[in-house]
């Protein structure tokens, strides 16, 4: 490992480490995508190697699949698993009802399919991801490449009648070409600043024919595990209405951090 982890990475790491405690042998586990989810995958790899944890992981992207195999997790497809006990994933924003914006890493479609096919979804996040109202983070909308400009125009038109503050829609780029998802689609990012009615917006967006899915996750997340850079971790359970706090010792583990 080169140098110490940044405060934000420490926060992500402790959230992931705490969430890994919810994973039990025999479970089929959805593995999210992004930097926080990558910590989770590494923590699970460590538990497999050192504690004999036996799980089957269903990755939500090719990136996560690669990392999961690298750290020694057994990887299966969602079709092989059919249904999952638990999915653990990061988020770009979460609110007090545990509604989420996801898709900053471009994997929202597989992430939503996997989370929805799970008994339980746990979000892991650093404290900066908590917001009073969703929308500060641009909302990703996955669209099929065919006729994407017409789809974008329709999205912009429906935004006029939605309770949002901004209305700018931009095609996500990868260099000078549109970004391509694992499902060979594109992503349009909606710069809304504030989303007054996430449920309504999600339903209306998904009615546009070229839209495959959007990054609003409503009534999907059950728990959020919030990490802080000093090792404090808070677990909020929306179904139980409980909040628990703990303190994790932060010991930099050469084995866990070897690919950083
Ligand atoms: C990927 C996602 C990620 O969970 C989200 O972007 C958070 O990423 P990170 O943990 O790197 O902050 O939705 O599509």
């Amino acid at each position: 490992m080169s140098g110490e982890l940044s405060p934000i990475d420490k926060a992500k790491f402790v959230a992931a480490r705490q969430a890994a405690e919810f994973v039990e042998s025999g479970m089929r586990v959805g593995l999210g995508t992004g930097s926080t989810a990558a910590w989770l995958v590494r923590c699970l790899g460590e538990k497999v190697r050192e504690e004999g944890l036996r799980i089957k992981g269903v990755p939500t992207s090719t990136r996560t699949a690669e990392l999961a195999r690298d750290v020694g997790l057994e990887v299966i497809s969602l079709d092989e698993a059919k249904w999952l006990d638990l999915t653990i994933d990061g988020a770009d924003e979460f609110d007090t009802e545990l509604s989420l914006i996801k898709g900053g890493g471009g994997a929202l479609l597989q992430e939503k399919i996997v989370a929805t096919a799970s008994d339980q979804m746990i979000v892991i996040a650093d404290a900066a991801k908590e917001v009073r109202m969703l929308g500060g983070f641009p909302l990703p909308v996955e669209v099929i490449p065919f006729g994407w400009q017409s789809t974008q125009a329709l999205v912009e038109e429906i935004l006029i009648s939605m309770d949002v503050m901004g209305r700018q829609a931009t095609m996500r780029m990868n260099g000078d070409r549109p970004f391509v998802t694992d499902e060979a689609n594109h992503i349009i990012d909606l710069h809304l600043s504030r989303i007054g009615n996430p449920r309504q917006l999600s339903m209306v967006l998904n009615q546009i024919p070229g839209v495959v899915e959007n990054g609003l996750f409503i009534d999907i997340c059950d728990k959020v595990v919030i990490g802080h850079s000093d090792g404090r971790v808070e677990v909020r359970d929306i179904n139980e209405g409980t909040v628990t706090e703990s303190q994790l010792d932060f010991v930099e583990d050469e084995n866990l951090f070897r690919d950083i």
Side-chain angles (χ1 to χ4, degrees), residues 12 32-38 63 89-92 101-108 111 124 126 129 137 172 217:
K12 290 176 178 186
T33 294
S35 56
T36 322
R63 307 204 274 301
D89 200 349
D92 298 301
I101 287 185
K102 285 188 51 56
L108 71 98
E111 289 171 337
I124 46 178
D126 57 276
K129 303 286 182 62
F137 191 91
R172 191 178 298 184
F217 284 46

Side-chain angles (χ1 to χ4, degrees), residues 105-232:
L108 71 98
L109 180 57
Q110 292 191 10
E111 289 171 337
K112 208 181 236 188
I113 293 171
V114 168
T116 306
S118 305
D119 282 341
Q120 206 190 149
M121 182 197 194
I122 299 178
V123 158
I124 46 178
D126 57 276
K129 303 286 182 62
E130 179 166 17
V131 294
R132 213 174 53 77
M133 236 178 186
L134 298 176
F137 191 91
L139 175 65
V141 177
E142 184 151 345
V143 299
I144 64 164
F146 178 82
W148 70 264
Q149 296 189 59
S150 306
T151 302
Q152 179 168 331
L154 278 169
V155 168
E156 285 167 342
E157 198 178 312
I158 68 105
L159 286 180
I160 295 169
S161 57
M162 292 291 112
D163 181 8
V164 292
M165 204 152 95
R167 296 203 168 83
Q168 202 199 352
T170 52
M171 167 58 71
R172 191 178 298 184
M173 302 298 286
N174 183 11
D176 56 1
R177 290 168 184 232
F179 174 84
V180 178
T181 70
D182 276 355
E183 295 300 321
N185 296 314
H186 296 323
I187 289 189
I188 295 172
D189 288 306
L190 306 184
H191 303 261
L192 309 174
S193 299
R194 194 188 63 91
I195 302 173
N197 190 338
R199 191 180 301 274
Q200 180 195 40
L201 178 61
S202 178
M203 283 189 324
V204 171
L205 284 171
N206 284 7
Q207 278 167 4
I208 297 173
V211 169
V212 183
E213 196 39 271
N214 71 81
L216 285 164
F217 284 46
I218 319 273
D219 296 336
I220 296 177
C221 175
D222 299 282
K223 282 189 184 75
V224 63
V225 181
I226 307 163
H228 298 264
S229 55
D230 60 2
R232 277 178 304 122

